[in-house]
Amino acid sequence: MRAQPLLRVNDLKKHFYIPTGLFGQETIEVKAVDGVSFDLNAGETLGLVGESGCGKSTTGRTVLKLYRPTSGNVFFDEKDITSIPGEELNKLRTRIQMVFQDPYASLNPRHTVKTIVSEPLVIHGLMKGAELDERVKELMELVGLNPSYMKRFPHEFSGGQRQRIMIARALSVNPDFVVCDEPISALDVSIQAQVVNLLQNLQERLGVAYLFIAHDLSMVKHISHRIAVMYLGKIVELAGRHEIFDNPLHPYTQSLTSAVPIPSPKMERKRQRIILKGEPPSPANPPKGCVFHPRCPIARDICKTEVPQIAEVQPGHFAACHFAGTPIQDT
Amino acid sequence: MANKSISHGADSRLEIESTFKDRLSYLGRLLWRDRTGVVGILIFTTVVIAAVFAEFLTPYKPLDQDLYASKMPPMWEEEGSPEHPLGTDNLGRDMMARIFYGARVSLGVSFFGAIIAAILGVVLGAVAAYVGGRWDEIIMAPVNLVLSLPYLLFVVFIASVLGSSLLNVILIFGVTNSPIFARVTRGEVLKIRESAYVESAISAGARWWRVLLFHVMPNLVGPLVTLISFQISAMIFYEAGLGFIGLSVPPTVPSWGNMLSEGRRYISSYPWLTTMPGLAIMYTSLGMNLLGDWLRDVSDPRTRRSGR
Amino acid sequence: MLKYSFRKVGQSLLLAMGVLILAFAMVRMTGDPASLMMSRNASAEEREAFREVMGFNRPVLVQFGDWITHVFMGDFGDSLHFREPALPLVLQRLPATIRLAATGLAFAILIGIPLGLIAGFRANSLVDFFGRLIALLGQSIPNFWLGLILILIFAQRLGWFPVFGADKPESVVLPAFVLSLPVMGELLRLTRSAALEVRNEDFVRTAFSKGLHRYAIYIQHVLPNVAISLVSVIGVEFGYMLGGSIYIETVFAWPGMGQLVGQALGWRDFPLVQTIVVFTSLVVLGLNLLTDLIYALIDPRIRHGK
Amino acid sequence: MASILKVKNLVTKFHTVDGVVNAVNDVSFLLEDGETLAIVGESGSGKSVSMMSIMGLLPMPPAKVEGGQALFNSKDGPVDLIQLPYEAMSDIRGGQIGFVFQDPGTSLNPILTIGKQISETLIRHLGISGREAKDKTVSLLAEVGIPDPTLRFDAFPFQLSGGMRQRVMIAIAVACAPRIVIADEPTTALDVTIQAQIVNLFKELRVKMGVSTIWITHDLGLVAGLADRVLVMYAGQILESAQVDELYENPKHPYTIGLLGALPRLDTQESKRLVSIDGTPPDSTILIHHCPFAWRCAHAFERCWNEKPALTTVGEKHTVACFYAMEEGR
């Protein structure tokens, strides 16, 4: 299974250029995604976590080519989708889909549920008429919505129901791969569980692979097989989901995992927290050397000058740190 | 917080059988909720009827002079007569006929002017937003220029250069008002294009024309119809203003502006020559403004509450 | 702040250039400016001679270059009617127009903004209802017509104000009020919605949660934020009034630039009309620039921004 | 311990065009001196509205407090906050009860300096001069962990990061040494590492100032390490209330059990499915005369559809409003 990954992302970069100066002649370069590599197997979920502004959403969009990558490659099924022509890419879009964060903004308010769910099928001319109707009904049942609601408009549904509509739409073309960009962060706790369970059930039944982007570590850990942690445009650590929590090698991952609350007062009292100082710097003006060094509790001189490369520190466990695995003294 | 969603609680209320009385009171509630729109549409409809059916609504022609019956006040004044309900002017022309026929000019000029402005402006704005870059700047520079000028002065200037004719007035209004449509369209298109549902359509494989046709256009209709409504009201004003200083349609055409311009000379002795066309303008403009206010509120389906 | 100001000044200069091009092109829109400016029964020789004098037979670009150079030196050409330079004629009329527009603006601000604030703070109250009515009527009544009606009632029937002219101090009241009505309505509407919006902002709730007095909250937290959104509008509206005074000045025989436009049109004195249009436009652009700069001064987000 | 705030039978409604929204339906609870009380619930559960209506911070209309009492042990003796006139209420707000709101990006006035926004509270309640207020503000800024406080005094909110702004909000809340701080989702808009900083700051201040805290949140995970006692709200009512250890180890109400099961945990190796609660909360425009959770409850039986369960004591300081839990308890 590992020999032929479904998706292979190689040194992907996405830099934005913001015009500035008197007449927009100068630009500020924002390195939103700065050299990200990972691969994803069929039927697998890779979690992508990080704080706001770390570039996780941009990564998802660039992988889908909603943004044109600045450099690097994305191989989908051994095809380099960064260089194929638009027509061929559009055909591939039947196999790659996306679920968006805000279920209130991502559904066209003027379209009925049926139009929304069937749009990918219609775009690719896969079905029409009664067959399309049947398919929409089937999809709505699949995601747990009453098919009789298909003539209704999005504003008549709650957030969780809207996210189900979004999922039905993404699954309409039987994709192999779905990018889920913070699909649950706008939802209430009890509804989050509904959507996450739905995503997991669908993966089991349909064998779809997810790139699951979120800031909620516990949820990412729950749904993912492997997890990549991002900080300021770079992946700082990537490993299996238990490995990354039981044995975090990067100091950022260590502090992140220690900061996530555990719903158990007894555990909470026993825990040692590593509380980072300061806040993430702006990607428009990243620090020299290791981007994490200004907040890092174990940084030394080398970290200020040399960028650590991501390396396989242990089998299947990657980290980008000069001192990967060094325990952090209680602060 | 009060999210009206299809939840268990809401369904139970749907099952209540509705009687005729319920439906009537429901209709009443709808009309009351949309009262500005109802009044606006009523006013607009009456003006359209007056303009279209002028021949049938009054026995007089707007240019028929009857010097024996000249300078008659409206019927509710002592010397008035029901034969000329709104009185006659200094040449004995029936005021009501002139106002009804005048509605044709005012509505025609403002309606076609607004349509031309909308078509021109939407194309310019959409191209600016869609193509972007240099083209955006090339299109928006003159648009912003026109929008930052003293508008009335420029329109007067152009009208005086081009000379008065119905077609000229329509074209002037159409062209000089297109920038506002361009700016609104550009803004809306940019907003819609950034929206998550367009991103979602693109990620599903939609080409640009599909996005334009199925996502951008339908969401543009609301703001544009609203703007057209306000613009019609504004253009009725502009026409009246131009007519007032003798720069609108030729003086023989019975337009409200021309009537004001003529009536002004007799304002102290025969005030109805001035008040009547002015009231007609005010009535129509009020209707279009009410309609516009209402359209602005309802054109967004998210603020539109479901009928329950 | 400096960068912002430079950009705004640059934009204004570009717009000013645009105004000059537009005004120049408009006189030549029909192809033959000579027949535009002369009476219909002028002979062919007379026309030819006129073209020679005005330089209309030279290439268009040369004419434009010539005109622009003169404009930069303050020479907008000669009035055909008065046979003297047009700009001094316009400048002579400027104070009257400014007096009218400024009085009108004062009316609009003094009535529109307080009413708008009350309407915003007490939505759906009686004041709100009347405020919205005023705004709706301001939008729906053609103001030159209202001018005529007010002359009829207050000047002729009641004799409270002079019928026309600018001889007495109270002469300004009627025309300024009429001129201000649409602006008053617009300001009222905008103030109301700005007040409603700001009142519902989280930071106003924070101010209440700090236990500040109600009026301290309105004056220190709500008003400045409302004011910021109104500054740019007031500049634009003042420009509108300068340009829109043409009808009002005609109705009230107010000896300002607007009346001069009306008269110049009657004389087919296009150089004079052109001068007034260009001059007013430049004043309006200047006002807009001024507002943008004031805006930057009072909004810390721009003052301390990039 | 003595109680500092006692809320009884609070009812708050919103009169909207869509109908009457029953936001808070008969809520009663106590806040004890020095305690940290967490009010947990999902959006629309009334957790925030209940506190805001006690403090008179809701827009009225459409909101209306239609009944209930909120007895506050103020410096000048007990008062009923609901009955208090505006002037007396504003003496308490910011002076004896401080607030921290959810979104530090919008909760500070964008065009006033943070120094001004903190010192105006001091001047209002402590009656000190501008100069004294400035000195005190600078020391407050230092206390909440803002570097270069003297410099930052003149900073505008947009010049600070989200975490820094929330520290400013906290400085405003504790400026006048209040008896209670009400924190409404104060870390929801912040990133995990910043959330940890803010939670830590709260804990420090609590030790230092001994202030009672009401922490309104949707995050049961966060509450575990923070609160002494927890109230679980749903559809405008309190369904369960217990000491924090008891609630997490021995939850009684099916909703609480469901919520805890819906949370993924970092500390387990198992990968079983999350417990999900089917359905959505009821439409708040209908007045419910039975258990509001009955629609979504797996254990609902006839009685649950016929009457409304009242909060009943099932253990030490542990009350629950559920017929099923009560029967089981017997």
Side-chain angles (χ1 to χ4, degrees), chain B residues 231-275:
Chain B
Q231 280 289 308
I232 287 180
S233 161
M235 285 185 195
I236 288 175
F237 270 35
Y238 301 151
E239 192 280 327
L242 283 186
F244 184 65
I245 53 172
L247 288 175
S248 179
V249 294
T252 46
V253 180
S255 87
W256 293 343
N258 286 349
M259 291 171 75
L260 277 180
S261 166
E262 287 164 28
R264 185 192 158 205
R265 274 177 275 164
Y266 304 98
I267 179 145
S268 44
S269 11
Y270 319 121
W272 62 91
L273 298 191
T274 307
T275 46

Side-chain angles (χ1 to χ4, degrees), chain A residues 50-53 158 161 164 187-194 196-197 200-201 204 215-222 241-242 245-246 252 255-269 271 273-280 295, chain D residues 41-44 161-164 167 190-197 199-200 203 218-226 244-245 248-249 255 259-281 296:
Chain A
E51 297 178 275
S52 50
S158 68
Q161 288 167 322
R164 286 171 192 265
L187 306 176
D188 267 321
V189 179
S190 70
I191 312 295
Q192 282 188 353
Q194 292 175 8
V196 163
N197 285 351
Q200 284 184 307
N201 292 340
E204 269 172 23
H215 65 267
D216 179 347
L217 262 86
S218 347
M219 201 53 101
V220 169
K221 185 197 172 202
H222 176 78
R241 64 181 188 123
H242 294 306
F245 286 105
D246 298 343
Y252 178 63
S255 64
L256 208 57
T257 50
S258 85
V260 175
I262 293 174
S264 156
K266 290 223 169 95
M267 294 285 300
E268 282 289 309
R269 277 194 286 272
R271 283 176 89 196
R273 281 235 154 77
I274 303 160
I275 293 182
L276 290 177
K277 292 192 175 59
E279 299 186 30
R295 298 178 76 195
Chain D
E42 298 179 282
S43 49
S161 66
M164 286 298 151
R167 288 173 191 265
L190 304 174
D191 276 318
V192 186
T193 56
I194 313 300
Q195 169 175 300
Q197 294 173 355
V199 168
N200 228 35
K203 287 182 179 168
H218 68 277
D219 190 342
L220 269 171
L222 190 63
V223 167
L226 188 81
V244 68
D245 285 22
Y248 283 81
E249 272 159 35
Y255 179 64
L259 273 186
L260 285 169
L263 282 181
R265 297 172 66 130
L266 273 188
D267 57 332
T268 53
Q269 293 283 347
E270 312 156 55
S271 40
K272 60 176 184 207
R273 287 294 137 90
L274 299 173
V275 177
S276 86
I277 310 172
D278 285 337
T280 50
R296 303 173 75 183

Side-chain angles (χ1 to χ4, degrees), chain D residues 172-210:
Chain D
I172 292 173
V174 301
C176 306
R179 313 196 116 191
I180 306 175
V181 168
I182 298 175
D184 187 359
E185 305 255 12
T187 61
T188 306
L190 304 174
D191 276 318
V192 186
T193 56
I194 313 300
Q195 169 175 300
Q197 294 173 355
I198 297 293
V199 168
N200 228 35
L201 175 61
F202 260 100
K203 287 182 179 168
E204 280 171 30
L205 289 174
R206 188 186 160 191
V207 172
K208 226 187 278 179
M209 311 179 67

Side-chain angles (χ1 to χ4, degrees), chain A residues 58-88:
Chain A
T58 311
T59 304
R61 284 170 162 74
T62 315
V63 165
L64 277 182
K65 264 196 95 176
L66 282 176
Y67 294 154
R68 189 188 301 274
T70 308
S71 72
N73 310 87
V74 178
F75 297 93
F76 181 76
D77 225 8
E78 297 301 297
K79 237 183 251 151
D80 186 353
I81 64 172
T82 46
S83 57
I84 60 172
E87 282 306 304
E88 216 175 313

